Amino acid sequence: MKVVIIGGVAGGATAAARIRRLDEHAQIVMLERSGYISYANCGLPYYIGGAIEDAGELTLQTPESFHARFRVDVRVHHEATAIDLENKVVRVRNLKTRETYEEPYDKLVLAPGARPIMPGLPGIDSPELFTLRTVEDTLRIRGHVDTQHPRSATVIGGGFIGLEMAENLAQRGLSVTIVEKMEQLMSPLDADMASFVHAKFRKQGVGLALGSAVTGFERTQEGILTHLDVGEPLRSDMVILAIGVSPDSTLAREAGLKLGMRGSIVVDEHMRTSAPDVYAVGDAVQIRHLVTGSEALISLAGPANKQARVAADNICGVSSVYHGAQGASILKLFDMTAASVGLNERAAQAAGLDYEKVVLSPANHASYYPGGRVMTLKVLYEKSSLRLLGAQIVGYDGVDKRIDVLATALQAGMTAPQLAQLDLAYAPPYSSAKDPVNMAGFMAENIEAGLVRQFHHADLAALRQNPNVTLLDTRTPGEYAHGHAEGFINIPVDELREHLSELDARKPVYVMCQSGLRSYVACRILSQHGFTCYNFSGGYRFYESIERNRLDERSAFPCGQMRD
């Protein structure tokens, strides 16, 4: 059996290694148009920033080492230019010699990945403008920073690559501004959760131009101008274009394979395309979203590697199925971590799901053990079935642990209240006896049992205009004096029972505290004394982050670069 693999990064290299482990006698040819294989895409920004010092650490295998271990005929600088499905051959061009030839196959694996989106904007071909996809791109950017010593950079795009590049360039000493067409960074998060991310970047001196679309670029003697649809252009010494990727499916389309959303390659659960003996894996394929069951594009390394294993199994006669992905992701943002899995509110609404949410701000470990730090955790679940729909966490230590627990629970089909019963490891340096994940389950239990009702930030504007409600802050007088939501009176929870007569029992009481815990206790007190009570989701800490973000957006323009 002869297997030809187009693409030698995550999906292609994994498929090749798995095929060899299953079939020692197969002939395997891997074509890669760049000069590197099996490299760590996710590590590329960290070499530019200097956290990874040796460029050799970016490549897990070289063509020579891969051949030595797996006896795979690796051909770098070789580009597949066409696929003849009827005759089962791939047309190939050697990019160094320009020689072209045909490579026959018995089985074909397409792992072309995705390509950076390059809009047709004026000045897009400027030599000071860079994209990041390959090791060559990384070396080019690192070389530019090392030799040209730019003082400022504009990063276009607030997704994973854009944020990682902004962080790493800032840590190299550059003044950085991020331009993002959406009103927020990091689209897997809801806007309220993204407010913490915005605050972190601003604190690190990174300017944010949110809700701004790029209209073009212009080279000047002072640098490169990034023209925006709103306001004056930004001037910087270099630009990183990271507005997203699209499936690299040109070969598949020209060969006549069935395509799906955004031109992605359609595959079945065995990773087979519409053509016999042709498989496809990675960022170029359309898969099933595990939460909604609908088609999805999820460009992440984890799914690509799993898909490659499934394709290799089926090529070698081992029945294997890929069930889909739920988009679990995590990102380092200076000393902060942001993570998500499954659906956010926008996605749940788009899917037509009726959902409930809980927001909490627990510490990463026992409060009495030194060094604890607060994280904000948001969990969505379906109202009718109570099944988990998604989760988002922003914080510091321990975020990765909790998002993985929630991802496992989500894939296992657990309900939100069942999180309360998870038996998780506990020791004071690592967690609390009531882990943050358990706490989310407790909150869902209380909501579903009718022990507490919630209100949210979006409700506040109407509540402030309603004279028939009471807005109550149950923090200490010191906390209240330091900052409080407009319209809220202050009665500390520990003094509430002595002041019940000051409240009108005919009016519903909307209660807030710092994190939501004391206000929950207050609601339990009030409800058992005849009051109708609602607890603010997320607490004042959550409210303050959202409000500060709104204020920053109104009062500030990007501080990273000069306006022209």
Side-chain angles (χ1 to χ4, degrees):
M1 177 177 68
K2 180 178 180 180
V3 183
V4 173
I5 300 172
I6 298 175
V9 192
T14 295
R18 178 68 172 173
I19 291 169
R20 174 59 71 225
R21 288 193 292 268
L22 295 176
D23 187 344
E24 178 65 17
H25 304 290
Q27 182 184 357
I28 307 171
V29 177
M30 187 163 70
L31 307 171
E32 169 56 43
R33 60 187 165 198
S34 77
Y36 300 85
I37 65 163
S38 191
Y39 55 84
N41 293 78
C42 301
L44 300 182
Y46 299 100
Y47 174 69
I48 295 168
I52 299 173
E53 297 181 355
D54 183 358
E57 296 295 326
L58 297 173
T59 52
L60 307 178
Q61 295 276 359
T62 65
E64 295 76 19
S65 67
F66 204 75
H67 180 269
R69 177 161 296 180
F70 298 111
R71 293 300 188 270
V72 172
D73 181 359
V74 179
R75 303 176 192 174
V76 294
H77 301 298
H78 280 64
E79 181 179 25
T81 59
I83 303 168
D84 183 342
L85 296 174
E86 183 177 354
N87 295 304
K88 300 181 76 170
V89 297
V90 177
R91 295 190 181 94
V92 184
R93 177 185 295 115
N94 184 323
L95 297 178
K96 287 193 169 182
T97 67
R98 313 312 296 176
E99 172 196 7
T100 61
Y101 62 93
E102 291 188 343
E103 190 70 41
Y105 66 85
D106 297 311
K107 305 286 184 180
L108 178 64
V109 178
L110 303 180
R115 60 181 180 273
I117 295 173
M118 294 289 289
L121 296 174
I124 194 73
D125 57 350
S126 168
E128 292 86 13
L129 191 148
F130 302 86
T131 61
L132 180 61
R133 182 194 182 201
T134 66
V135 174
E136 285 92 343
D137 295 334
T138 309
L139 299 177
R140 192 176 304 115
I141 297 171
R142 173 72 180 261
H144 181 81
V145 174
D146 288 348
T147 61
Q148 301 303 311
H149 308 293
R151 295 176 298 170
S152 58
T154 301
V155 176
I156 315 298
F160 293 162
I161 294 296
L163 297 187
E164 288 174 340
M165 283 302 304
E167 174 193 355
N168 280 278
L169 290 174
Q171 292 184 331
R172 287 289 303 266
L174 278 72
S175 180
V176 180
T177 290
I178 302 172
V179 178
E180 169 53 50
K181 188 175 183 179
M182 291 179 59
E183 296 289 345
Q184 67 168 86
L185 302 176
M186 205 172 173
S187 63
L189 301 181
D190 286 315
D192 48 16
M193 296 292 286
S195 66
F196 294 100
V197 176
H198 299 171
K200 171 56 65 176
F201 274 90
R202 290 186 176 115
K203 185 176 181 180
Q204 296 294 326
V206 176
L208 303 182
L210 304 179
S212 300
V214 175
T215 59
F217 305 94
E218 180 185 353
R219 296 184 71 193
T220 70
Q221 290 184 341
E222 292 77 25
I224 181 169
L225 293 180
T226 299
H227 292 277
L228 307 177
D229 62 346
V230 178
E232 297 298 317
L234 294 171
R235 184 175 71 245
S236 59
D237 296 325
M238 64 183 297
V239 173
I240 303 294
L241 190 64
I243 61 175
V245 296
S246 61
D248 193 352
S249 55
T250 302
L251 275 176
R253 182 181 69 251
E254 293 177 350
L257 297 179
K258 183 178 179 181
L259 301 182
M261 59 190 307
R262 291 175 54 195
S264 57
I265 305 170
V266 172
V267 292
D268 65 12
E269 61 184 0
H270 304 290
M271 306 312 299
R272 295 179 300 211
T273 70
S274 58
D277 299 319
V278 180
Y279 297 75
V281 302
D283 295 351
V285 305
Q286 174 180 287
I287 62 172
R288 174 177 172 267
H289 197 291
L290 286 175
V291 181
T292 64
S294 60
E295 292 80 13
L297 292 176
I298 298 179
S299 300
L300 295 169
N305 278 276
K306 296 177 184 70
Q307 294 159 21
R309 180 183 176 90
V310 169
D313 284 353
N314 287 289
I315 286 171
C316 295
V318 178
S319 182
S320 186
V321 170
Y322 182 71
H323 297 287
Q326 52 193 11
S329 61
I330 191 165
L331 195 61
K332 173 185 174 295
L333 306 169
F334 298 97
D335 62 339
M336 177 182 276
T337 301
S340 67
V341 64
L343 306 183
N344 59 22
E345 289 197 62
R346 294 190 308 277
Q349 291 163 7
L353 295 171
D354 189 17
Y355 64 91
E356 184 60 272
K357 58 187 176 184
V358 297
V359 181
L360 59 157
S361 298
N364 65 297
H365 61 59
S367 59
Y368 58 82
Y369 188 86
R373 303 190 73 178
V374 173
M375 66 179 70
T376 301
L377 194 157
K378 182 176 186 179
V379 175
L380 273 61
Y381 63 93
E382 190 174 32
K383 284 186 178 180
S384 58
S385 66
L386 306 185
R387 71 181 177 110
L388 290 167
L389 296 176
Q392 304 160 52
I393 311 177
V394 179
Y396 299 88
D397 294 341
V399 169
D400 54 342
K401 169 183 174 179
R402 274 63 185 219
I403 203 67
D404 281 343
V405 171
L406 287 161
T408 303
L410 184 62
Q411 190 159 346
M414 292 179 64
T415 66
Q418 285 176 329
L419 297 176
Q421 300 303 318
L422 287 176
D423 188 7
L424 303 174
Y426 159 62
Y430 302 104
S431 184
S432 300
K434 299 174 184 176
D435 187 84
V437 176
N438 295 137
M439 293 298 297
F442 295 150
M443 293 174 66
E445 276 188 334
N446 288 336
I447 291 169
E448 298 308 318
L451 294 176
V452 68
R453 285 176 279 194
Q454 297 189 106
F455 71 107
H456 305 286
H457 186 273
D459 302 320
L460 283 171
L463 289 172
R464 290 191 181 108
Q465 302 302 315
N466 187 350
N468 297 313
V469 301
T470 299
L471 304 179
L472 177 63
D473 187 319
T474 59
R475 296 175 300 155
T476 67
E479 290 174 302
Y480 181 83
H482 187 69
H484 59 271
E486 178 187 349
F488 280 72
I489 64 172
N490 180 224
I491 302 177
V493 65
D494 294 338
E495 302 172 18
L496 182 58
R497 292 179 181 87
E498 288 72 38
H499 292 271
L500 291 175
S501 61
E502 300 172 16
L503 302 175
D504 188 345
R506 295 169 298 178
K507 295 182 178 181
V509 184
Y510 290 79
V511 189
M512 182 183 293
C513 73
Q514 189 69 15
S515 68
L517 178 58
R518 283 175 287 177
S519 51
Y520 164 66
V521 173
C523 274
R524 293 305 303 144
I525 293 171
L526 290 166
S527 64
Q528 293 178 78
H529 283 83
F531 291 83
T532 299
C533 190
Y534 297 84
N535 188 21
F536 182 72
S537 174
Y540 181 78
R541 179 178 177 275
F542 194 51
Y543 165 86
E544 184 182 37
S545 181
I546 298 169
E547 290 297 313
R548 183 188 298 116
N549 180 68
R550 289 183 171 184
L551 179 63
D552 289 343
E553 287 301 317
R554 289 196 299 265
S555 63
F557 69 86
C559 60
Q561 281 98 322
M562 296 294 293
R563 290 278 190 176
D564 187 59

